[in-house]
Amino acid sequence: AQKITQTQPGMFVQEKEAVTLDCTYDTSDPSYGLFWYKQPSSGEMIFLIYQGSYDQQNATEGRYSLNFQKARKSANLVISASQLGDSAMYFCAMREGRGGSNYQLTFGKGTLLTVNP
Amino acid sequence: GAVVSQHPSWVICKSGTSVKIECRSLDFQATTMFWYRQFPKQSLMLMATSNEGSKATYEQGVEKDKFLINHASLTLSTLTVTSAHPEDSSFYICSARDASTYEQYFGPGTRLTVT
């Protein structure tokens, strides 16, 4: 079974509007972390936001917020007031456990976001 | 913030030659580095995990004799694509895990084209 599922291959949003990118995850480990990365056409992976499994509140970073619904195993990214520069590929990722050699990121397939002027 | 560099950022080589890609953590020590491969419009696929001073752990389906990984110091890991072929053309991304915080930082990637 896929550990990270992003069901939206592509999304379109109008400039200045908000958009939600979906992410569901699958793990039996009670300790895990969820990440969102942005990858523009240049290829670099830009870290956006992080949510720990024990965090009580949803993470927020500027225009980015993570809608964490633990019981539903979802970690959707909300981008408010979209800008043209937000057009990029967005990846959801998960890291399981608290450490050790298996402390690696598993990525979803990504969502290509296009912001229209 | 923590910086990871990759060199070269892009490379074109002829089929049959070998190419070495360097990944450096510039301001932190990385006992573990990860190498990913990404095809156009696809996700990152973990190729191998390298630990300083020991042999790399390769993911299933990745040829260890073709993709040689060396992690000789706490700040440098190298990936050598041996006897490269056109199907090895891809975007290779490394990431380094900070030994003290366990945070993982990505390099800017290397675009390899084999002609």
Side-chain angles (χ1 to χ4, degrees), chain A:
Chain A
Q2 281 192 352
K3 290 198 172 187
I4 295 288
T5 302
Q6 294 180 254
T7 57
Q8 306 154 315
M11 286 283 285
F12 293 88
V13 65
Q14 210 63 31
E15 194 178 7
K16 299 180 185 176
E17 292 186 351
V19 63
T20 298
L21 306 184
D22 295 341
C23 173
T24 57
Y25 59 92
D26 183 28
T27 181
S28 57
D29 196 319
S31 179
Y32 54 90
L34 297 158
F35 300 77
W36 277 92
Y37 288 89
K38 172 185 178 181
Q39 188 181 41
S41 56
S42 61
E44 62 179 316
M45 294 292 285
I46 302 170
F47 166 74
L48 296 178
I49 198 166
Y50 167 80
Q51 180 86 42
S53 59
Y54 295 115
D55 294 342
Q56 295 294 318
Q57 297 197 341
N58 288 344
T60 60
E61 290 285 348
R63 293 187 299 113
Y64 305 106
S65 61
L66 199 151
N67 185 359
F68 182 45
Q69 298 187 42
K70 196 169 182 177
R72 299 175 66 176
K73 294 190 174 180
S74 75
N76 298 340
L77 175 70
V78 180
I79 305 174
S80 62
S82 296
Q83 303 172 356
L84 295 178
D86 294 335
S87 294
M89 184 72 94
Y90 288 80
F91 291 100
C92 179
M94 178 173 65
R95 184 175 65 195
E96 296 170 280
R98 288 185 175 273
S101 61
N102 200 32
Y103 207 44
Q104 64 197 35
L105 288 170
T106 302
F107 287 87
K109 292 188 175 182
T111 296
L112 181 61
L113 177 66
T114 303
V115 180
N116 294 317

Side-chain angles (χ1 to χ4, degrees), chain B residues 3 7-8 10-12 42 46-47 49 56-57 59 63 66 81 90 95 97 101 107-109:
Chain B
V3 177
H7 179 80
W10 60 271
V11 57
I12 302 172
Q42 293 190 22
L46 180 66
M47 298 174 66
T49 302
T57 302
E59 296 298 303
E63 299 175 60
K66 181 165 190 60
V81 183
S90 188
S95 73
R97 191 167 85 197
T101 66

Side-chain angles (χ1 to χ4, degrees), chain B residues 59-70:
Chain B
E59 296 298 303
Q60 193 172 8
V62 177
E63 299 175 60
K64 56 184 68 176
D65 293 332
K66 181 165 190 60
F67 299 99
L68 301 179
I69 292 172
N70 183 280

